[in-house]
Amino acid sequence: MKIRPRRSVLYMPGANDRALEKARSLSADALILDLEDSVAPEAKSQARDKVVQAIKSGGYGTRELIIRVNALDTPWGADDLKAAASVAADAILVPKVSRPGDMVSADKLLKAQGAGAETRLWAMMETPLAILNARDIASVAGDASSRFSCLVLGTYDLIKESRARALGDRFAIIPRLAMSVLAARSFGLDVIDGVYNDFKDDAGFRAECEQGRTLGMDGKTLIHPSQVEPCNQIFSPSDEEVQWSRKVIETFALPEHKGKGVITVEGRMVERLHLVMAERVVAIWEAITS
Ligand code: COA
Ligand code: MG
């Protein structure tokens, strides 16, 4: 089981030299170099050049590098995609996806630019139509040749577009998050939760990470370096989870349990579905600690 941890996914404005530099030393699993909403229209082409230069200069180690491009129907989208393909970014994050065709078009454009299969596609789920079409959008990843690998929630855009209220418990957003998790799981995609803007509120941030993890998110998008450590911690399996998972795997492997569908571990009933869950916990742990 090969797993790429995507616990902490840090955004930074593509026009911000200091952030592009600092990210080389932060323990985020992935970095989103943004050319879209955090970059003013007059700074778009300069930001594109900076991001290309930063990736070419290297120094990001094993961190996954994702470029968020402008939407393909804007004056900058096609050039952003071309630039992202030219530096072989690990992934291109397509904003404002609303239909499966948006992902198909991005894939075609990438192919036309000669991008290798290692350059993946991620989709922003941030419009009401994206949530209503979540299953169909995710189904694009069902094609074996698809480079589609991840959904990213744009929770503040979803609130804006639906005129919902942004309450601390995310009451209005929970069903949309849950729909996105189900869509992702149905087609083998990862799914990353939206950002928490109040980056000085550590307790509120941690609570939202816990909520996302409980819903099944693989990680959370972040806006500030101070959010990386708590996020990594909350989205990693705890020592207790790892120990329990190892025990489940070892107990199922005993000769007397060969071929059994259900066994008892420390007084609890454990089925083969728990074995699969345990194997995943250990695989994530090994990927994180390797
Ligand atoms: N990525 C990398 N480094 C970052 C960073 C980020 N997202 N946000 C801040 N930093 C760096 C700063 O450059 C500063 O570096 P230094 O002091 O070591 O030189 C340090 O972390 C502390 O930053 P701080 O002074 O607390 O914040 P700020 O006032 O510089 O920036 C924000 C605050 C919100 C403007 C900034 O965090 C940011 O731009 N976040 C990302 C926004 C974004 O990309 N939004 C789009 C998606 S929602
Ligand atoms: Mg957005």
Side-chain angles (χ1 to χ4, degrees), residues 36-37 68 96 124 126 154 157:
E36 201 221 9
D37 282 353
R68 183 164 77 170
K96 314 262 181 334
M124 286 297 304
E126 55 184 342
D157 271 295

Side-chain angles (χ1 to χ4, degrees), residues 183-197:
R185 298 295 169 243
S186 301
F187 296 97
L189 293 167
D190 275 354
V191 54
I192 315 292
D193 204 352
V195 298
Y196 189 78
N197 280 351

Side-chain angles (χ1 to χ4, degrees), residues 138-192:
S139 75
V140 173
D143 181 325
S145 69
S146 172
R147 60 176 91 224
F148 191 7
S149 59
C150 197
L151 302 180
V152 179
L153 273 297
T155 39
Y156 289 102
D157 271 295
L158 276 173
I159 284 171
K160 167 180 163 266
E161 295 300 320
S162 60
R163 300 184 201 152
R165 288 170 80 194
L167 301 182
D169 62 1
R170 299 203 291 179
F171 174 81
I173 285 295
I174 299 288
R176 308 163 200 201
L177 301 178
M179 287 279 290
S180 304
V181 171
L182 293 182
R185 298 295 169 243
S186 301
F187 296 97
L189 293 167
D190 275 354
V191 54
I192 315 292

